[in-house]
Amino acid sequence: MRQRSLIAITAALAAGALTLTACGSRDDDGGSDSGNGGGGTTVVIGVDAPLTGDLSALGLGIKNSADLAAKTANKEKTVDGITFKVEALDDQGQPSVGQQNATKFVADDKVLGVVGPLNSSVGESMQKVFDTAKLVEVSPANTNPALTQGVDWQTKKVRPYKSYFRTATTDAIQGPFAAQYVYNDSKKRKVFVIDDKKTYGAGLAATFTQEFKKLGGKVVGTEHINPDTKDFNAVATKVKNSGADVVYYGGEYPQAGPLSKQIKAAGAKIPLVGGDGIYSADFIKLAGASGNGDLATSVGAPVEELPSAKEFVANYKAEGYKEAYEAYGGYSYDSAWAIIEAVKKVVEANDGKLPSDARAKVVDAMQDVSFDGVTGKVSFDEFGDATNKQLTVYAVENGAWGSVKSGTFTG
């Protein structure tokens, strides 16, 4: 673990990044003016994310970051003769709405790629729709391994959909990485595991549990919560009575914040640990002062500390978006840029014009996309997974997230 002073400095940097303010350019329909660019043909990059509701902080960061990528490509004329435009649809964090959005994107022949979604459960609902239409999808945030490696990924990896890619690493790595930190670095031995029963949360809790037990830790209790409620007093009492010295929560910040607060109020003065779904400034607001010491893992290295991300951070601030880029900003920019790079490959291979089967060719081109992105080297393996397996542990310190350890899972 880094020295406390370093944590404070990093926390200050993160806090600054999470409070970027000014005014953005958003249309009423969720679309955006992505700037004047390279020419006569418009290519639409769809964005699917929760733009309203409890998870909108993360969703709006995804939308804005993809929009910044399109504006940058237009300004730099990255693809000669092509102007990129972002159109965003709100999935409200609901799989059924995400599936409807996928159908809408497919129906618009100008859409050659989609960034999103945030939630793995929403991703599941969209994959077949996009794959049937040969429309590429690049998620900056889906982490459930089954999306790229099939439901039996632990025993036999089979890629279910050729059109699906992601720039985020998976829970097969994130859960065990957290378990190693909790056991080896924090020296915790007794964990109470809670999840929200959703695809992301349950999967993450399962991979954490498996590794924690393998290391020698003991699971002293488990519980599933209803993500539609904010009253967790009953489970908080169970945590207190279990004798756990740490809680692991598989889920997202709207529930994790109140859960942490109520566990401490019940008398269990122990840290709550979660995945990238709780790594948000809004978690800190919801957890209150008692959230100090809580931990989260998130994909990649801290954006604020990467030399490759300095330009992104500066440009995001200069563009004047009202909302922070949050946990997935860099990955959303890189997801959109991957689509831009794939379009560029297709256009250049067709004498500077889009072919009639552009969607299918963009899917094929995506497999070989490789560039130095905001989050580091961006490329995809045979399953469509990010080749970048970096992860970071963050701690709440003095009301802000600060990184305490970065690395890769060694299993």
Side-chain angles (χ1 to χ4, degrees), residues 30 54 131 136 156 217 225 244 268 294 318 320 370 408:
D54 286 346
D131 202 66
V136 79
K156 183 182 180 183
I225 59 127
D294 286 347
S370 179
T408 55

Side-chain angles (χ1 to χ4, degrees), residues 34 49 159 162-163 185 209 223 262 305 377:
S34 297
R159 185 176 186 177
K162 182 183 176 183
S163 64
D185 295 76
T209 298
E223 192 64 69
Q262 291 169 43
E305 296 179 10
K377 187 73 173 180

Side-chain angles (χ1 to χ4, degrees), residues 245-259:
D245 54 13
V246 65
V247 172
Y248 189 81
Y249 176 65
E252 295 150 330
Y253 67 84
Q255 295 75 37
L259 179 62

Side-chain angles (χ1 to χ4, degrees), residues 13 137 221 248 251:
L13 282 170
E137 171 187 15
Y248 189 81

Side-chain angles (χ1 to χ4, degrees), residues 111-376:
V111 177
L112 294 189
V114 177
V115 173
L118 168 69
N119 304 84
S120 291
S121 55
V122 178
E124 274 184 317
S125 75
M126 304 175 88
Q127 284 182 305
K128 183 172 176 56
V129 178
F130 286 138
D131 202 66
T132 300
K134 297 182 173 59
L135 179 58
V136 79
E137 171 187 15
V138 188
S139 174
N142 290 170
T143 54
N144 188 276
L147 295 173
T148 48
Q149 300 174 18
V151 292
D152 298 320
W153 62 270
Q154 288 179 303
T155 55
K156 183 182 180 183
K157 294 179 174 62
V158 177
R159 185 176 186 177
Y161 297 106
K162 182 183 176 183
S163 64
Y164 180 88
F165 297 81
R166 56 179 153 201
T167 54
T169 195
T170 76
D171 296 333
I173 300 169
Q174 185 176 191
F177 183 76
Q180 289 187 355
Y181 182 85
V182 169
Y183 189 89
N184 295 327
D185 295 76
S186 294
K187 308 298 182 186
K188 305 298 184 185
R189 297 293 182 263
K190 295 183 292 182
V191 65
F192 196 105
V193 179
I194 305 169
D195 71 65
D196 63 1
K197 298 183 285 188
K198 291 160 71 173
T199 301
Y200 163 75
L204 188 59
T207 58
F208 171 90
T209 298
Q210 184 179 26
E211 181 68 14
F212 192 75
K213 289 165 73 174
K214 179 181 169 185
L215 292 167
K218 184 179 180 182
V219 178
V220 296
T222 61
E223 192 64 69
H224 307 289
I225 59 127
N226 179 356
D228 294 326
T229 185
K230 296 294 190 294
D231 181 359
F232 305 117
N233 285 305
V235 68
T237 300
K238 288 183 182 179
V239 171
K240 168 70 166 60
N241 295 336
S242 72
D245 54 13
V246 65
V247 172
Y248 189 81
Y249 176 65
E252 295 150 330
Y253 67 84
Q255 295 75 37
L259 179 62
S260 171
K261 191 173 188 176
Q262 291 169 43
I263 286 171
K264 271 81 163 179
K269 308 297 185 183
I270 58 177
L272 180 142
V273 183
D276 52 329
I278 80 166
Y279 178 54
S280 167
D282 282 20
F283 169 84
I284 297 171
K285 295 175 189 173
L286 293 166
S290 62
N292 271 345
D294 286 347
L295 301 164
T297 53
S298 192
V299 294
V303 168
E304 297 79 23
E305 296 179 10
L306 289 170
S308 58
K310 287 181 179 178
E311 187 177 2
F312 164 75
V313 173
N315 289 346
Y316 193 99
K317 186 174 183 179
E319 196 56 49
Y321 297 107
K322 287 189 292 184
E323 305 86 9
Y325 52 77
E326 288 278 355
Y328 305 107
Y331 296 90
S332 303
Y333 185 100
D334 285 347
S335 294
W337 201 263
I339 293 170
I340 291 163
E341 288 288 336
V343 170
K344 183 179 181 180
K345 284 176 177 286
V346 169
V347 168
E348 289 179 348
N350 193 55
D351 298 324
K353 296 179 181 178
L354 283 174
S356 58
D357 59 345
R359 280 184 174 174
K361 282 191 163 58
V362 167
V363 171
D364 291 338
M366 185 64 72
Q367 192 63 54
D368 297 320
V369 160
S370 179
F371 61 95
D372 293 322
V374 171
T375 59

Side-chain angles (χ1 to χ4, degrees), residues 20-76:
L20 295 175
T21 57
C23 83
S25 54
R26 182 170 297 110
D27 296 338
D28 292 339
D29 63 358
S32 63
D33 174 10
S34 297
N36 296 320
T41 302
T42 297
V43 167
V44 173
I45 297 174
V47 173
D48 178 88
L51 305 179
T52 58
D54 286 346
L55 294 171
S56 60
L58 296 177
L60 291 167
I62 290 172
K63 174 191 179 294
N64 294 344
S65 300
D67 182 64
L68 180 60
K71 286 180 174 175
T72 302
N74 292 340
K75 182 179 178 181
E76 296 179 354

Side-chain angles (χ1 to χ4, degrees), residues 88-113:
L89 295 178
D90 180 10
D91 64 29
Q92 303 164 38
Q94 299 297 321
S96 59
V97 180
Q99 190 172 66
Q100 292 167 15
N101 290 349
T103 301
K104 290 177 184 177
F105 284 131
V106 167
D108 182 353
D109 59 9
K110 289 186 178 179
V111 177
L112 294 189

